[in-house]
Structure formats: C-alpha cells, structure tokens
Amino acid sequence: MVPFVDLKAQYRSIKDEVNAAILGVIERCEFTLGSEVAAFEKEFAAYCQVEHGIGVNTGTSALHLALLAAGVGPGDEVITVPFTFVATVSAIDYTGAKPVFVDIDPKTFTMDVNAIEAAITDKTKAIIPVHLYGQTADMDPILEIARKRGLVVIEDACQAHGAEYKGRRAGSMGHMGCFSFYPGKNLGAYGEGGMVVTNSPDFTRTIRMLRDWGAEKKYQHVLKGYNFRLEGIQGAVLRVKLKYLEAWTEARRAAAARYDQWFADSNVPTPYVRPDARHVYHLYAIRTQHRQAWQDTLLAQGIQTGIHYPTPVHLLPAFADLGYEAGQFPHAEAAAREVLSLPMFPELTAAQGEQVAQAVLALASSADAPADAPAATVA
Ligand SMILES: *Cc1c(COP(=O)(O)O)cnc(C)c1O
C-alpha cells in the first residue's frame, strides 16, 4: 500500500515534542492567540524572509483579510487563475469584488503573465498569482505590471512554504503573501491555520485588527472585523514542525528527483521546473490522457493518487454567476482533464517511489501500444 500522504508517519517522528508543546498550551490555558502564536508569527515570517506575520484561522481567511486590507470591496475586480483550489476565488467573492480569470501557462500550471494586461480594467484592484503545486508563479513580470498599473499583488502561497523564485521566498515578493497550515500542506497544523506575511506595518496593523473583531484594544472596535484568530495549540504545533520544514522539503525534493529519474526516458510528462525556481513539491503531478484508467489501475495495485483539480473554478456550478463558459481557458481546462498527482510526502521511501514509478511506466508503455493509438488512415 502506498498512501497519497502519510500524516501518521510524520507524527510518529515528532510525537514526544509535539505532545509536550500541546500540553504546555493546555496548562497555560493560552487557547487562542497567545505566546506560542506570537512566537510562531515571528519565526514563520523570518522563514519567509519577511518582516511581519499575522496568524489566522485558515489560508482562506488569510486571503480574505489580505484583500480587505488592500481595500478590495464591492465594485472592484481581482485577477487570478481558474486552475486553483476554490478558496482563492471564494476569498475574492467574500469581499464583494468580482474574480476575473486569466489562463495558466501549460508548462508550470501558474498564471500566464502574457494574459494579464488584457484582463485589467479600470476596476482592477489586485492580482492573486497562485504558486500551484509548490512552484511560484513567474513573479517579476507580474510585479512589473502591478507596479505600472498601481495594483496590489497578493501571493497565494498556500501550497508553497519555502518555495523560491530567483532566490526570493514565496510570500515575500508581493505586497502580501498568504499561507495555509491545513494538515496536508507542506507545513500542517493539527487542525486549521493560516498566515499573512508582509513587510508593510500598515497592512499588518489592519489585518491584526480584522482577525480579532476589528479591535484596536479590547472592546475598541474601529473596524468591522471577524473572529479569524489562530489557536494557541496550532501555534505550538507549528513552531515544533517549522524546525523540520527544511529537512522535510529536501526530502520531498529528493522524492521528486527520484520520480524524475524513473520517468526520464519515458513518455510520462514530469513537472516542469523553471531554472530559477526552488520547487517544494506540495504535489507531484504528471499528465495523462487516460487519467481515469490510470487512477483505477494504480488504486487496484494499492497506490493512492489525487486530482488537483478536476474542474477549473470558472466551470464550477458555485461560480456560474461569473458567466464564464467552457473553452475560455483552454490550458486550465486541459490541465483539469489530465493532471494526476502521485504519492508525495517527506517520508515516502525510495522503495515506495519505485513501486509507484514502475506502475506508472507500465501504464505509459501500454498506452503507447497500437491498441490504444488513434486509428491509422486506411488506404
Ligand atoms: C489550501 C489552499 C487554500 C486554502 O487554505 P485553507 O487553510 O484550507 O483555508 C487556498 N489556496 C490554495 C491554492 C490552497 O491550496
């Protein structure tokens, strides 16, 4: 059996430390915010090479509050991609602004920077590039367009803890960077969690208020805010886990390199990595025209896979009101049909990786066989 992720294996490796950290919070009764959260905010911001971190309850809330801090609201437009987890788009929707999509670059699955200019109107306020699967979007052109047009850039770095672009860390390049600590993410809480990181003291101050009922001090509510606080137990768990994040990331990268090697001389399309990128492999996605058959066959052999994501957001029923139609974002739509995420987690052994790779290679070579090929023209 090769699981898609194995959170239990990771827990076993840090059990004593994590249990003690959780007990400490309980004994101090620092259940919400508190000293562990404050320390984690500093440590994670430093990890991201950014001045400030504001802990919140989810990655979705991080995006939502970053948008509000940027002044985004009803009547505004925010540009993002349709090939992402739905939360990116929901966060825009919560503010009352309109999500406006641009297609992805089919090689990297991230925002097509050449499509941005055409999507900008006089209502555009912000751009949210999504660092999908653990590789950042092509940030320099995005930052340049935003600078020229006076737009705010909010990085959706929920899948990209520790990813780098030209030596800069994910979350440090835009005006704000948003992270999720959902359990399955590269840095996962034992529950829900999220953070906004930024170098701006103004955004920091606003987001600190918004996450805690808009209060400047207790009962001094200067903004209409939310209860989006990060829990003390999550802060404590995340502080323990942050110490291991670099080692876990290198283990993911090694597991990805092993897959790459296995697939090197085959027709299996492996993830494209930009030469200037540090990919952190939240997911390792290949592409196939035979996805359902491959997924079923792999599962029958005890290999779990995932699909991230089967429907691009512009075609989800929940966002039908945006008025988009099939065919408008062909690269996102093709990716949604073809991507298949293989097992990827730091504890994935070389033997497990080899088992997965051999099973995929067998599928790929039978997909090549004449029976599966398009019918040749008959003379
Ligand atoms: C996980 C994720 C989110 C949302 O994070 P939550 O903590 O689950 O709210 C947003 N964007 C992307 C790209 C994600 O992968």
Side-chain angles (χ1 to χ4, degrees):
M1 186 71 198
V2 186
F4 182 64
V5 291
D6 191 349
L7 296 182
K8 285 181 188 161
Q10 189 170 86
Y11 174 58
R12 282 194 296 273
S13 74
I14 54 171
K15 186 170 177 168
D16 293 342
E17 222 179 329
V18 119
N19 287 1
I22 291 171
L23 266 180
V25 174
I26 296 172
E27 272 159 14
R28 293 191 301 277
C29 292
E30 276 190 313
F31 294 114
T32 191
L33 299 177
S35 61
E36 295 284 343
V37 168
F40 176 62
E41 287 175 336
K42 287 207 173 70
E43 290 161 8
F44 190 71
Y47 177 82
C48 297
Q49 302 171 347
V50 169
E51 289 286 314
H52 310 284
I54 308 98
V56 293
N57 60 336
T58 64
T60 310
S61 297
L63 289 161
H64 181 183
L65 295 190
L67 286 161
L68 291 179
V72 171
D76 297 330
E77 294 178 355
V78 177
I79 295 173
T80 192
V81 286
F83 193 58
T84 181
F85 182 57
V86 67
T88 315
V89 184
S90 293
I92 298 168
D93 184 66
Y94 296 160
T95 68
K98 184 179 160 207
V100 172
F101 295 122
V102 298
D103 209 349
I104 54 165
D105 164 47
K107 268 165 85 178
T108 61
F109 302 110
T110 61
M111 184 174 277
D112 176 0
V113 297
N114 298 311
I116 299 171
E117 295 270 12
I120 296 175
T121 71
D122 55 9
K123 294 178 179 165
T124 308
K125 266 272 178 65
I127 307 178
I128 307 185
V130 179
H131 304 329
L132 204 74
Y133 298 163
Q135 174 163 244
T136 72
D138 189 7
M139 288 303 291
D140 277 346
I142 295 172
L143 294 169
E144 180 56 20
I145 292 167
R147 193 189 57 77
K148 279 199 306 223
R149 301 296 202 107
L151 307 176
V152 174
V153 176
I154 297 169
E155 295 172 63
D156 183 339
C158 289
Q159 301 188 1
H161 315 69
E164 288 175 14
Y165 173 87
K166 303 183 184 176
R168 289 126 79 196
R169 282 266 157 110
S172 72
M173 295 174 275
H175 296 87
M176 289 172 269
C178 298
F179 289 88
S180 166
F181 307 118
Y182 178 79
K185 299 290 162 86
N186 286 26
L187 179 60
Y190 286 3
E192 307 276 352
M195 191 176 290
V196 184
V197 299
T198 180
N199 286 317
S200 156
D202 287 344
F203 289 145
T204 300
R205 189 173 162 273
T206 304
I207 296 168
R208 278 192 193 290
M209 288 196 278
L210 286 173
R211 75 167 171 189
D212 194 13
W213 293 118
E216 197 165 39
K217 293 192 203 115
K218 198 160 193 183
Y219 304 130
Q220 308 278 308
H221 303 278
V222 297
L223 297 171
K224 288 176 183 161
Y226 301 82
N227 177 355
F228 284 168
R229 296 177 297 251
L230 182 60
E231 294 187 344
I233 285 176
Q234 305 312 335
V237 169
L238 289 163
R239 280 190 80 195
V240 169
K241 293 183 72 173
L242 180 58
K243 292 189 288 181
Y244 300 97
L245 182 57
E246 278 304 287
W248 287 335
T249 299
E250 286 308 317
R252 285 176 185 272
R253 288 167 50 77
R258 289 193 297 267
Y259 277 144
D260 283 347
Q261 266 174 16
W262 281 110
F263 298 138
D265 298 317
S266 78
N267 58 351
V268 177
T270 54
Y272 172 79
V273 184
R274 238 188 267 106
D276 50 22
R278 182 193 194 209
H279 197 316
V280 296
Y281 294 100
H282 174 57
L283 296 166
Y284 185 98
I286 59 168
R287 297 181 75 135
T288 165
Q289 317 258 342
H290 312 277
R291 183 172 65 192
Q292 190 61 58
W294 285 29
Q295 196 171 31
D296 293 346
T297 307
L298 291 170
L299 189 61
Q301 296 171 24
I303 297 166
Q304 288 179 346
T305 56
I307 297 173
H308 306 88
Y309 296 90
T311 310
V313 180
H314 70 289
L315 300 181
L316 286 174
F319 288 99
D321 60 337
L322 295 177
Y324 289 104
E325 283 169 18
Q328 283 189 268
F329 305 108
H331 295 307
E333 292 167 31
R337 278 193 302 272
E338 295 173 10
V339 289
L340 182 66
S341 306
L342 302 183
M344 172 52 71
F345 51 92
E347 299 78 13
L348 186 79
T349 65
Q352 286 174 314
E354 180 174 352
Q355 188 189 333
V356 175
Q358 294 294 3
V360 170
L361 285 169
L363 285 164
S365 61
S366 69
D368 260 354
D372 216 293
T377 315
V378 179

